[in-house]
Amino acid sequence: MKALSLHVTGVVQGVGFRPFVYNLARSLGLAGSVHNASDGVYCTVEGDDAAVDTFALALRDEAPPMAVVDEVVAEAVEPRGLTGFVIEESEARSGAMTLVSPDIATCPACTAEAADPSDRRHRYPFINCTNCGPRFTVIDDVPYDRPATSMAEFPMCPECAAEYADPADRRFHAQPDACFVCGPRLYLDALSPECGGLDPDWSWSPEREPAPRPHRDRDAERTRSDAIVDAAARLLREGRVVAVKGLGGYQLACDATNETAVTTLRERKRR
Ligand SMILES: [Zn+2]
Ligand SMILES: [Zn+2]
């Protein structure tokens, strides 16, 4: 029987590190805890000598794909007869900073769900999980937890909350977990004169969308979302320039085979 206290630094927040530690410790039959702090991830484990050693090595060798482990500092401590393994509350330490992950492109598992008509996130534009999605752009502060992100004003629906709390789920502790019911939605600037005739309810304004955001009906929300994508596609086909606001800024889109559309875009960009 032995126990270790470990401090892991690097890109270890927003990359599924706590769920990884939780599942690793459980699979090795170790007791202890893990938590995020402003300067990295801290964990304590105790149990069988060989299992504790395996755990310490695996922290670096088997870390999640998006994690970059700079250093694992391990210190032997007295076993305290702990039982079970828990993810504890995050801890803010003044003056300390950890590295945060960049935004990560949609992973294959999420892409497959978005394409699956039987999935509750079928065609949900903001689908994400512990392995992908927004990070740096939504983080206001560390430690990385939902209240310290721009997702704070989107209270999770019961289904997302269940995924978030389930160690066996790919979205266990995924801070930007969201869906049609509870998450961010698409908007289209339907009030602009160029968009004449579109549903004014598609426009965004802070007055129209007070925080916390309400939970919505999934089917109605998907219908609205699809209609907005269709309308944007139609505008592109008609030769308009569409500014697509994404996580990190705007992408300007137009039909590259339409000379008038390309000229309009060049004039507006003065290029
Ligand atoms: Zn994903
Ligand atoms: Zn949800």
Side-chain angles (χ1 to χ4, degrees):
M1 169 73 91
K2 75 175 189 181
L4 284 181
S5 167
L6 303 117
H7 178 203
V8 189
T9 54
V11 182
V12 290
Q13 295 187 19
V15 291
F17 207 83
R18 284 174 296 178
F20 154 69
V21 170
Y22 177 93
N23 285 309
L24 177 65
R26 300 265 299 214
S27 72
L28 290 166
L30 297 173
S33 63
V34 60
H35 70 269
N36 272 351
S38 316
D39 59 347
V41 167
Y42 287 84
C43 50
T44 52
V45 284
E46 66 179 58
D48 175 70
D49 286 17
V52 169
D53 291 340
T54 303
F55 176 89
L57 289 175
L59 273 188
R60 182 188 291 277
D61 296 344
E62 293 170 25
M66 301 306 165
V68 181
V69 175
D70 279 346
E71 201 174 21
V72 179
V73 177
E75 186 190 346
V77 293
E78 276 301 307
R80 290 182 288 155
L82 300 173
T83 52
F85 195 91
V86 290
I87 295 180
E88 290 182 334
E89 289 283 306
S90 297
E91 175 191 9
R93 297 185 175 213
S94 62
M97 281 296 286
T98 190
L99 299 172
V100 296
S101 165
D103 301 332
I104 302 162
T106 313
C107 75
C110 285
T111 306
E113 285 175 352
D116 176 0
S118 70
D119 193 278
R120 69 190 185 91
R121 291 190 182 83
H122 181 46
R123 292 202 299 270
Y124 180 55
F126 304 98
I127 190 167
N128 69 82
C129 73
T130 312
N131 301 319
C132 75
R135 296 291 185 275
F136 182 78
T137 308
V138 299
I139 292 174
D140 293 326
D141 199 3
V142 290
Y144 173 60
D145 283 308
R146 193 168 176 111
T149 73
S150 47
M151 295 301 291
E153 66 183 66
F154 296 90
M156 278 184 278
C157 70
E159 282 173 279
C160 287
E163 293 169 339
Y164 183 91
D166 178 2
D169 195 281
R170 196 171 90 252
R171 295 187 172 89
F172 180 44
H173 268 250
Q175 306 305 334
D177 195 3
C179 73
F180 277 119
V181 174
C182 65
R185 63 202 312 222
L186 290 179
Y187 299 92
L188 198 149
D189 187 10
L191 299 179
S192 134
E194 295 215 352
C195 292
L198 296 181
D199 186 341
D201 279 343
W202 289 355
S203 303
W204 183 85
S205 75
E207 300 76 37
R208 207 192 288 268
E209 299 284 357
R213 308 295 180 95
H215 287 170
R216 309 176 198 273
D217 177 79
R218 180 182 306 142
D219 291 337
E221 202 52 30
R222 182 181 286 125
T223 300
R224 174 188 177 279
S225 186
D226 288 350
I228 287 178
V229 173
D230 286 346
R234 196 181 66 243
L235 290 168
L236 288 172
R237 279 196 300 271
E238 288 171 359
R240 314 271 190 185
V241 175
V242 176
V244 184
K245 187 179 186 186
L247 280 170
Y250 283 92
Q251 298 180 50
L252 301 176
C254 74
D255 177 0
T257 65
N258 180 329
E259 209 161 302
T260 315
V262 173
T263 304
T264 305
L265 176 56
R266 286 188 188 283
E267 279 169 3
R268 289 182 184 175
K269 288 292 293 173
R270 299 192 179 88
R271 301 235 167 123

